[in-house]
Amino acid sequence: MNTKTDTTQKIKKLTAIAVFAALAYAVHFVHIPVLFLNLDFKDVVMTIAGMYFGPSAAAVLSILVPLLEYPTSSTGPYGLIMNILSSGAFVIVASVIYKFKKTLSGAIVALCSACLSMVAVMILANLFVTPYYMSHAGITQRDIVVMIPTLLLPFNAVKAILNAALTLCLYKPVSKVLKKSGFARKDAELSEPDDQKGGLMRSVLVWIIGGAIAVAALCVIFFVLGGKIAFN
């Protein structure tokens, strides 16, 4: 690849990452609050970008998007820290693992690992960061421990599973659009070879299973944890 082509490709990549950052920022305005917790879908956008463009893009987006949110956030530095930890634990882990195995099974392993990583990181973050933020309400670390099995663990698990399911459903269609738009990455799309009919059937199966998991996760958020959609 000559220098001019390489430079053009880098500019295209930076442009695409900027577009993903803007989209992730826009998506966060539609969210589902559950008590002092918040579920939005920006991690889906960032994970797709990270899986397509690599871990470096994932790391940049995991910091950039929370920084864009910060001026309009009501949670201050606490919210910024928790946003970076939550997104980073999910997006970076998924993109790093997927980088080494760009297949459907690799994507599933990457997203499952991202779920476990995010849940573990957020439980620890809630234990050590939340008491400082909620000190004005008299919330202590002991209170947070009590919340783990009834609120924190189920909320973070459902949030992670929902993000993973939506990412699995949307990654392949979005990667095809990126390729057709000129943001070519020959190794970015799911690479399991198959005939056209078999590939279509597998894609439909992924959408059905991923969609069913996403619907189930949303039902838990709304009907078990009492979440409500908010637009702000």
Side-chain angles (χ1 to χ4, degrees):
M1 183 178 289
N2 59 48
T3 304
K4 184 177 180 180
T5 303
D6 188 42
T7 301
T8 301
Q9 206 59 38
K10 287 181 179 179
I11 292 172
K12 285 184 175 181
K13 178 180 178 180
L14 290 174
T15 302
I17 292 172
V19 170
F20 272 102
L23 182 58
Y25 174 72
V27 164
H28 98 278
F29 284 104
V30 181
H31 59 101
I32 305 172
V34 178
L35 296 180
F36 60 88
L37 303 172
N38 188 58
L39 187 157
D40 59 43
F41 303 98
K42 66 178 181 291
D43 286 352
V44 176
V45 178
M46 292 190 286
T47 304
I48 291 172
M51 291 172 70
Y52 191 85
F53 291 108
S56 59
V60 169
L61 288 169
S62 297
I63 297 173
L64 177 60
V65 176
L67 284 173
L68 291 174
E69 291 179 35
Y70 182 67
T72 59
S73 173
S74 62
T75 55
Y78 162 84
L80 177 64
I81 293 170
M82 298 296 275
N83 261 330
I84 292 174
L85 290 175
S86 176
S87 293
F90 190 91
V91 176
I92 296 173
V93 169
S95 62
V96 167
I97 294 175
Y98 183 71
K99 178 181 180 180
F100 296 100
K101 191 174 183 182
K102 294 182 174 65
T103 62
L104 179 57
S105 59
I108 292 172
V109 170
L111 291 169
C112 288
S113 300
C115 288
L116 294 174
S117 172
M118 196 198 86
V119 171
V121 167
M122 293 314 293
I123 292 297
L124 290 173
N126 276 291
L127 279 172
F128 293 104
V129 179
T130 301
Y132 292 99
Y133 172 69
M134 300 291 289
S135 60
H136 65 280
I139 301 295
T140 66
Q141 190 176 67
R142 181 173 296 180
D143 297 320
I144 297 298
V145 171
V146 173
M147 292 181 190
I148 290 176
T150 58
L151 176 63
L152 298 177
L153 181 59
F155 174 85
N156 284 297
V158 171
K159 178 180 178 179
I161 291 169
L162 178 59
N163 285 335
L166 292 175
T167 301
L168 191 62
C169 290
L170 295 174
Y171 177 74
K172 190 169 184 178
V174 172
S175 68
K176 287 184 176 181
V177 170
L178 286 170
K179 286 186 177 181
K180 290 180 180 179
S181 301
F183 300 100
R185 278 282 309 279
K186 292 182 179 181
D187 63 337
E189 192 176 338
L190 296 176
S191 59
E192 290 183 347
D194 206 339
D195 59 272
Q196 186 174 0
K197 183 178 179 181
L200 178 60
M201 290 179 64
R202 185 167 59 245
S203 294
V204 171
L205 184 61
V206 167
W207 293 334
I208 291 173
I209 295 174
I213 293 172
V215 169
L218 287 172
C219 287
V220 173
I221 287 291
F222 289 128
F223 301 115
V224 178
L225 298 177
K228 295 181 180 179
I229 295 178
F231 299 90
N232 55 42

